[in-house]
Amino acid sequence: MSCCTKPSRCPVPVTLVLLVVYFCYLLLGATVFWALESEAEQDLTQNIQQEKWELLQNLTCMDNRTLELFIKFIVQVYKQGSSLLGNGSSLETWSFPGSFFFSVTAITTIGYGNLSPSTTGGRIFCVFFALFGIPLNLILLNRIGQRMLVLVQRSADVLGRRVGRKKTVTFFSSSCAVMAGLLLFFLLPPILFRGMEGWTYEEGFYYAFITLSTIGFGDYVIGRNPEMKYPNWYRNLVSVWILFGMAWLALIISLCINLLENSRDVCLCCRRKEGDKKEHELIDMTLNGHPPSPLQEDADSTSSTGKSESLD
């Protein structure tokens, strides 16, 4: 026996490494967007206030051309993430928390449409950031969804061994995972949105679904009310909610796929057992000297033909 043995290598948790890389990538994107867009946002805010006062002082009546220019100005301001309401911009769209939230919505392909980079450097960086960030996001979501699925399956196996009813426990565990996800990602967040945004519960639930499903209409977006003072943790918390909520949806999709595959296997197994049972009955009848009637032979031949086609 050798006096010295090779030390066993500790397995590297791939999911944890992906999670660290994912958040580091988001921090990198938030830092770059913050550096490129924050100064432009301040200049835009000053120009907004100046344009407002000039319109109020000089344009007492507007013709059609002036009105069209004003509407285009409002649309441009909205796309750049600023607001014409109030005496100043308290949104801080391109602050670090705002830039981090924009990074999350970019690589998760939500894309509300109410915000986009206005500088040339910000647009070029956004292209490359999304080019590498979207595949990274898909890999991480798939990984987290698989880990959640493994956790549910292991819990079902442990409870199934103790109870002795594996199918019932598996269905119960899957139902608990679905209900827990509905509670954490759809039923509780609207309460937070109602307190922070002033929305109704129905509007908060609508925003949660549109966001996690990556539809992203942009009619409801957090942190866009200039009359509200949002804490820094608010957008970061919503970013984490988006990440794990989309991973939970991936888990639900995996559970549905497994359910469909299991139901298909059960149907094929039942059909095979029924065909084998009929074959045994025919053999027993022949051995006992009671051959099947012509109608029975036609029915059995039809069932055997259908069985061979299903097996093929």
Side-chain angles (χ1 to χ4, degrees), residues 12-296:
V12 179
V14 180
T15 305
L16 180 60
V17 173
L18 283 174
L19 192 62
V20 172
V21 173
Y22 184 86
F23 277 103
C24 290
Y25 191 80
L26 288 175
L27 291 174
L28 174 63
T31 303
V32 175
F33 284 124
W34 179 31
L36 294 175
E37 300 293 335
S38 59
E39 185 176 356
E41 181 190 18
Q42 295 176 0
D43 296 337
L44 179 63
T45 302
Q46 295 178 358
N47 293 333
I48 289 172
Q49 300 305 320
Q50 183 177 359
E51 291 289 338
K52 284 176 63 178
W53 283 111
E54 289 179 359
L55 287 172
L56 291 174
Q57 292 176 358
N58 300 327
L59 302 178
T60 56
C61 61
M62 292 185 180
D63 55 8
N64 188 31
R65 177 62 178 170
T66 305
L67 181 59
E68 289 181 356
L69 292 175
F70 183 66
I71 292 174
K72 290 181 179 179
F73 172 73
I74 294 176
V75 172
Q76 181 182 3
V77 168
Y78 175 78
K79 287 184 177 180
Q80 293 179 357
S82 298
S83 175
L84 289 169
L85 302 176
N87 294 323
S89 178
S90 60
L91 298 178
E92 297 181 353
T93 305
W94 292 108
S95 61
F96 188 81
S99 300
F100 184 83
F101 183 73
F102 174 77
S103 301
V104 172
T105 58
I107 66 176
T108 53
T109 68
I110 295 175
Y112 290 115
N114 68 314
L115 181 62
S116 60
S118 60
T119 62
T120 303
R123 291 169 181 171
I124 294 175
F125 177 76
C126 185
V127 171
F128 290 98
F129 179 74
L131 181 64
F132 295 99
I134 292 175
L136 177 61
N137 177 74
L138 294 176
I139 293 172
L140 180 62
L141 290 181
N142 185 36
R143 191 77 181 183
I144 295 177
Q146 289 179 355
R147 292 303 178 189
M148 288 181 177
L149 180 60
V150 169
L151 180 61
V152 173
Q153 291 176 347
R154 288 182 178 177
S155 300
D157 292 338
V158 173
L159 292 177
R161 292 172 184 174
R162 294 182 179 179
V163 177
R165 297 180 178 179
K166 185 175 181 181
K167 294 183 179 180
T168 304
V169 171
T170 301
F171 177 78
F172 177 75
S173 300
S174 301
S175 301
C176 289
V178 173
M179 295 305 298
L182 286 175
L183 182 65
L184 291 176
F185 301 115
F186 285 100
L187 300 180
L188 291 180
I191 300 176
L192 174 65
F193 299 144
R194 183 173 60 181
M196 299 299 297
E197 304 288 344
W199 299 340
T200 62
Y201 186 87
E202 292 77 10
E203 290 173 334
F205 184 84
Y206 169 79
Y207 168 77
F209 176 78
I210 294 300
T211 298
L212 295 184
S213 61
T214 68
I215 297 175
F217 288 130
D219 48 352
Y220 287 91
V221 184
I222 66 163
R224 305 304 304 160
N225 190 348
E227 298 179 358
M228 297 286 186
K229 183 64 176 179
Y230 300 100
N232 293 329
W233 55 265
Y234 177 54
R235 290 177 179 175
N236 296 331
L237 179 62
V238 174
S239 300
V240 175
W241 166 74
I242 291 175
L243 172 63
F244 285 95
M246 293 178 66
W248 174 78
L249 287 179
L251 167 65
I252 298 303
I253 294 173
S254 299
L255 289 175
C256 293
I257 293 174
N258 291 337
L259 180 62
L260 291 176
E261 291 179 349
N262 293 332
S263 61
R264 180 184 177 185
D265 294 339
V266 170
C267 292
L268 290 176
C269 183
C270 292
R271 292 176 65 181
R272 289 175 182 175
K273 288 182 179 180
E274 183 179 358
D276 294 339
K277 182 179 179 181
K278 289 183 178 180
E279 287 184 357
H280 287 298
E281 290 178 354
L282 290 174
I283 294 173
D284 292 338
M285 291 174 65
T286 303
L287 293 176
N288 294 329
H290 299 284
S293 63
L295 295 177
Q296 181 68 25

Side-chain angles (χ1 to χ4, degrees), residues 292-303:
S293 63
L295 295 177
Q296 181 68 25
E297 289 180 351
D298 294 338
D300 294 337
S301 62
T302 303
S303 63

